[in-house]
Amino acid sequence: MNVKIRVLSVGVLFFLNGMYNAQKTKTDTAKTKDIEEVVVLGYNRTLTKPKDVSANTTISAEVMENRPNVSFLNSLQGSAPGVTIASNSGSPGSAKIDLVIRGISSLSADTEPLVIIDGIPTGTNQFRNLNTEDIESVSILRDAAATSIYGNRGANGVLLVRTKGGKFNAKLKLSYSALTGVSIMPKNKYNIADSHQLLRIQKNNGPSSLLGATLTDQQIADYPVNTDWEKVFFKADVTQQHNISATFGGENTSVYSSLGYLEQGGLVPNTKFQRFTFRNNITGRSEDKRFNYTAIIGLGYSKRSQLNQEGNSGINGNVVQNPLLGSFIALPYIKSGQYGSGRDLFNAIGTASSAGGNFAYVLEDVLRGDQSVFGKFNETSVFTSATTSYKITDDFTLNNRTGADLKIGNAFSGRNPKGYLSIVVASTSGIEYGGFETISNSRELNFTTVTSLNYNKVFGEHTVGLGAYMEYNKVHFYGSSQTQNGLDPKTFAIGAGTGYIAFDPERDIYVSTVSANKVTAGALSYFATADYDFADKYGFSGTIRRDGNYRFAPGRKWGTFWSVGGRWNIDKEGFMDGSFFDMLKLRASYGTQGNANVVAAGDDTNPLLLATGISREINVVGNGYGNTPGYFLNNMANPIVQWEEIKQANVGLDFKLLKNRLEGNVDVYQKNTDMLYYNIPSSAITGQYNYRGNYGSLKNEGVELVLRYNVLMNKDYKLTVFANASYNENKITKLQVPVTTGSLLLEEGGTINEWNLVPYLGVNPNTGNELYLDSNGAVSEQALDKDRRKTGKNYFPKYTGGFGINSEYKGFFLDALFSFQAKFWRSDNQLSWALNPAYMRAGYNVSADLLNAWTPDNRETDIPSLSAPVSGITDRLLFDASFLRLKNVSLGYNVPKQFFNTNSVIKSAKIFVQGENIMTWTKWRGYDPEGLGTFPLSIYPNPRTFSLGVNLEF
């Protein structure tokens, strides 16, 4: 509560200060009809759309506003070509969102794009503390002409996020928006058995110890208990957000200020996210307009409660700790809600946590959160930026942008001593006090400063633009963690340090652990740009950049990256007079980028902080054979390791026709990655079986298309349809040694992470066993590793895109957005539990599909015999996870202006209802086909959300 009050107090202080400093207002005399569409490029460079040579897409605030998403990335899905966005978790505030631009360009290095907010690069791809309602636009840069200016950080594409600002000579405008809604579970198609179905399956093939094997057919039909554990472990929850903002401006000062609050409940009990934000953006200029400045501050505070699965995949298959798995396998013929506390449960079942379906009761206890297994995370963020520019002469401008992004994180996780798991562990260990608490703290400061000198001159029909830049980046990170083992249930409180049991040296119990980590990272760059235009017909753009990175050894620290691009505005040619084209532009570019982040970062992790010792030999102290202390090589130095290199070619065509009613663009690209960073085999005599280095190449190539057509344009009614689609194909063109990880294969000539499985042919109608195709092309009832073969399939979509409508009629509006991803395959290991009779015999629930299992009287079926051996290396459960989703629908009414007069407090009003993730069409049987991971086991479902909102202006 104290933090909440402080954030709001600081927000009010800045809010009032901005109002006080604003100059008196005038009426803005600018005529909007004379304003051309502006394209925002890197380092605050702007061009009009006809003069741009790059492949980029700008998404406006209207696409993202009033959407119940914590991260703006979720709102971008389906809105831009060449961009794959997949949420791997629906947990409130999760950072598990994959963002890929023009395909995966590395095997093991980081593949997330660089994200720039108001000119300042962010450290990690998580934006839970950025209020989407503060965003003015997001520009997605895709080709080398747009991204090479970012050198060794732009290899995977760039997102430029601009927040809102005020306008000069504008009256005070206050805005308030509110949204409230409910999130519900999506449906699955696993056909999980109810109590009668499971008892019947147990009777058909279960051991005598299982309940179904002891009951008659009539007893099964009359069995009185039928618990739906999905309804026990999941629930609908409320989401709400409130935002208030003010914009105003005088002759030489303008201000945008906002306060925001977001609360999102989770589908699983005791998961939740809350966020408070404040932003103050001030823009000013001198009387002579030669000096301009912008000062930005954004404050955020968020707290979230999460399941252990969010950060610990090791318990995904743990039946007594994982409610995401428990909703499927808990026995429906036992009652829920039998025990009120962990102590009551222990008194009833003792240490038999799994026997007889007891794990369901343990999972109920786990979901008591703070009273059992807890995970609480707080984050405070401070974003500041100051931009200045001074026009030395009419042609030369000196610019500087300096900013800092500070994130302070605190986490409290562990087991309350009152929970069942703490009690049972203490009992089996022979100690009095169980439970543990881990407190983790982190501080990360990203500092950036960019100074440039820009020259712009018009010589008749010739326009020349030159720029020289220097950029310096520095990151400071500090993290610490402490774990207390042994907690007193009478006095323990989360995060308070109370209830800690002292270390017992005689029995060597209640041992605490501590750790700390400190990293300082940096990069220095200098670069130049050149732009040339002749008569608005022909244009040229070039960039050259020199980058230095702390990660690599001397002689490899520096790299040079460049790009060239050109355009031909065909519509400006004389032979186009009278053409139905309003704009027709051909453009092409080629360039290079680097990827210095050679180790892929996990969620919430800054990739610049990783791989600090890859070029250095590292020795450590540890225990060897017989637990004997020793000193050994931990990392073999590779002084010639360097960043990956990407070369990209792009050809595009932009067009407008039919009096600007139809517009669009098409791009064709090829992107080649060389010097791939991965494990290179080495002799075991070194003590290392491999070392990290550069070897190998891969290629991405594809096509992107965007169309927008204004079907109806009238004062009373409007209708616009839009669509975008992308195709991307990747191929490994060079790799020293094939790499196999489980059922995934990396091999020269194949795709990234190609599924390597034994073909499944169905059920033998004579025996009920599974049938496979062996390596000799013969049908077999046994699947062996040698029978695996490349499928040509992976889990990266070849086709992505979206389409929809924007419509309006006399104040009523209806907007709809569909998104799709196609031609990607995922292995459903969640279904492998549900279709495996062995799990039924072990005392878990399964799919009712097993009622159709092969028997001598039921030979024509796709379900093997309940006694048949089951292989885990076949493509039986490899599914095409392609989907079409009704991503968002918004229906509302803009109250006509005539309802408000000059004396009205309210100047405009909009009311609306909307839905997010409304419907999904797919062959995938799970909750959600979305996600670029290999397996769906224990994935927190993305919710369907329906909400009601209002926007008011005063």
Side-chain angles (χ1 to χ4, degrees), residues 19-59:
M19 293 181 66
Y20 177 78
N21 287 308
Q23 306 294 319
K24 67 178 183 178
T25 62
K26 292 184 179 182
T27 302
D28 197 337
T29 58
K31 297 180 180 179
T32 57
K33 67 180 182 181
D34 297 329
I35 298 176
E36 292 188 84
E37 182 181 355
V38 174
V39 176
V40 179
L41 300 173
Y43 296 94
N44 211 33
R45 300 163 66 230
T46 59
L47 289 171
T48 59
K49 185 67 174 178
K51 294 185 178 182
D52 179 32
V53 304
S54 65
N56 65 80
T57 300
T58 298
I59 300 170

Side-chain angles (χ1 to χ4, degrees), residues 851-928:
L851 288 171
N852 191 36
W854 181 94
T855 66
D857 299 323
N858 182 36
R859 295 174 179 269
E860 301 300 324
T861 177
D862 60 348
I863 304 296
S865 165
L866 296 180
S867 301
V870 176
S871 173
I873 63 172
T874 78
D875 63 3
R876 179 189 178 195
L877 300 181
L878 185 67
F879 293 98
D880 183 349
S882 303
F883 68 86
L884 170 64
R885 169 168 291 155
L886 181 51
K887 183 66 177 177
N888 179 264
V889 172
S890 182
L891 173 65
Y893 181 63
N894 286 300
V895 180
K897 296 291 185 180
Q898 56 263 33
F899 280 81
F900 310 104
N901 57 45
T902 55
N903 296 320
S904 298
V905 176
I906 299 176
K907 303 302 181 183
S908 68
K910 177 174 76 173
I911 55 174
F912 59 91
V913 293
Q914 70 145 9
E916 193 84 7
N917 299 326
I918 301 171
M919 294 184 66
T920 303
W921 294 270
T922 181
K923 296 177 182 178
W924 184 254
R925 294 184 64 175
Y927 287 117
D928 194 345

Side-chain angles (χ1 to χ4, degrees), residues 187-194 197-198 201 230 327-328 828 830-831 834-835 845-852 863 925-927:
K187 300 296 183 182
N188 71 74
K189 306 171 188 174
Y190 289 132
N191 192 23
I192 297 300
D194 61 24
Q197 293 168 327
L198 178 60
I201 296 171
E230 183 176 294
S327 64
F328 292 95
D828 195 343
Q830 184 80 71
L831 187 58
L835 290 181
N845 197 8
V846 288
S847 172
D849 290 2
L850 294 185
L851 288 171
N852 191 36
I863 304 296
R925 294 184 64 175
Y927 287 117

Side-chain angles (χ1 to χ4, degrees), residues 206-266:
S208 58
S209 59
L210 293 180
L211 179 62
T214 67
L215 301 178
T216 66
D217 291 344
Q218 189 60 46
Q219 287 174 320
I220 290 176
D222 296 338
Y223 199 83
V225 179
N226 189 18
T227 302
D228 186 341
W229 287 100
E230 183 176 294
K231 293 182 179 178
V232 175
F233 294 140
F234 298 95
K235 62 180 177 65
D237 211 337
V238 174
T239 182
Q240 62 173 316
Q241 59 180 347
H242 302 271
N243 295 282
I244 184 170
S245 64
T247 59
F248 44 88
E251 179 69 23
N252 296 310
T253 307
S254 67
V255 176
Y256 168 84
S257 294
S258 73
L259 288 168
Y261 173 73
L262 169 69
E263 179 179 327
Q264 189 177 84

Side-chain angles (χ1 to χ4, degrees), residues 43 397-401 450-454 467-470:
Y43 296 94
T397 304
L398 183 64
N399 305 278
N400 177 267
R401 172 169 282 167
V450 181
T451 301
S452 68
L453 179 64
N454 297 85
Y469 300 77
M470 185 181 73

Side-chain angles (χ1 to χ4, degrees), residues 430-657:
I431 60 178
E432 181 180 0
Y433 296 101
F436 69 88
E437 180 183 49
T438 299
I439 301 177
S440 302
N441 301 288
S442 65
R443 296 194 307 270
E444 180 181 326
L445 174 65
N446 289 265
F447 172 83
T448 301
T449 183
V450 181
T451 301
S452 68
L453 179 64
N454 297 85
Y455 171 80
N456 288 278
K457 185 71 172 178
V458 177
F459 305 92
E461 293 187 306
H462 305 271
T463 302
V464 176
L466 302 172
Y469 300 77
M470 185 181 73
E471 178 178 10
Y472 175 66
N473 303 106
K474 195 69 177 290
V475 183
H476 297 277
F477 174 84
Y478 175 76
S480 63
S481 177
Q482 60 187 52
T483 299
Q484 166 65 32
N485 293 292
L487 304 172
D488 188 340
K490 299 184 184 67
T491 56
F492 172 71
I494 296 174
T498 58
Y500 284 12
I501 304 301
F503 168 58
D504 185 339
E506 293 185 1
R507 293 188 293 168
D508 195 28
I509 58 175
Y510 309 132
V511 181
S512 300
T513 59
V514 296
S515 65
N517 183 29
K518 182 180 179 181
V519 180
T520 300
L524 178 66
S525 310
Y526 50 93
F527 49 103
T529 62
D531 296 281
Y532 171 75
D533 173 76
F534 174 71
D536 294 338
K537 289 183 182 180
Y538 315 108
F540 165 85
S541 178
T543 301
I544 186 167
R545 174 165 173 146
R546 184 76 169 158
D547 270 316
N549 190 284
Y550 84 103
R551 183 176 284 128
F552 307 113
R556 297 282 173 168
K557 287 183 178 294
W558 290 90
T560 303
F561 310 99
W562 55 271
S563 71
V564 291
R567 60 174 170 82
W568 176 25
N569 295 78
I570 305 172
D571 58 285
K572 300 294 185 180
E573 299 289 356
F575 60 79
M576 292 292 289
D577 290 345
S579 167
F580 56 84
F581 282 99
D582 302 295
M583 191 267 283
L584 183 63
K585 179 182 64 176
L586 179 67
R587 50 185 166 75
S589 66
Y590 182 83
T592 64
Q593 299 114 326
N595 188 358
N597 296 325
V598 290
V599 173
D603 306 311
D604 284 344
T605 302
N606 186 344
L608 195 61
L609 298 172
L610 304 178
T612 57
I614 58 173
S615 62
R616 301 165 182 85
E617 186 171 287
I618 299 176
N619 297 308
V620 297
V621 176
N623 294 335
Y625 181 77
N627 209 29
T628 304
Y631 184 69
F632 59 91
L633 178 68
N634 180 258
N635 184 76
M636 189 161 48
N638 183 359
I640 62 172
V641 69
Q642 66 176 68
W643 38 59
E644 298 179 337
E645 297 178 350
I646 295 178
K647 301 172 183 177
Q648 186 173 184
N650 188 95
V651 177
L653 185 70
D654 301 333
F655 54 87
K656 291 184 180 181
L657 61 157

Side-chain angles (χ1 to χ4, degrees), residues 65-67 179 805-809 811-817 888-894 910-916 918 946-950:
E65 67 182 4
N66 300 320
R67 303 273 293 273
L179 181 76
I805 64 167
N806 301 125
S807 61
E808 184 177 346
Y809 178 72
F812 291 94
F813 63 88
L814 172 64
D815 299 327
L817 172 64
N888 179 264
V889 172
S890 182
L891 173 65
Y893 181 63
N894 286 300
K910 177 174 76 173
I911 55 174
F912 59 91
V913 293
Q914 70 145 9
E916 193 84 7
I918 301 171
F946 300 90
S947 50
L948 170 69
V950 60

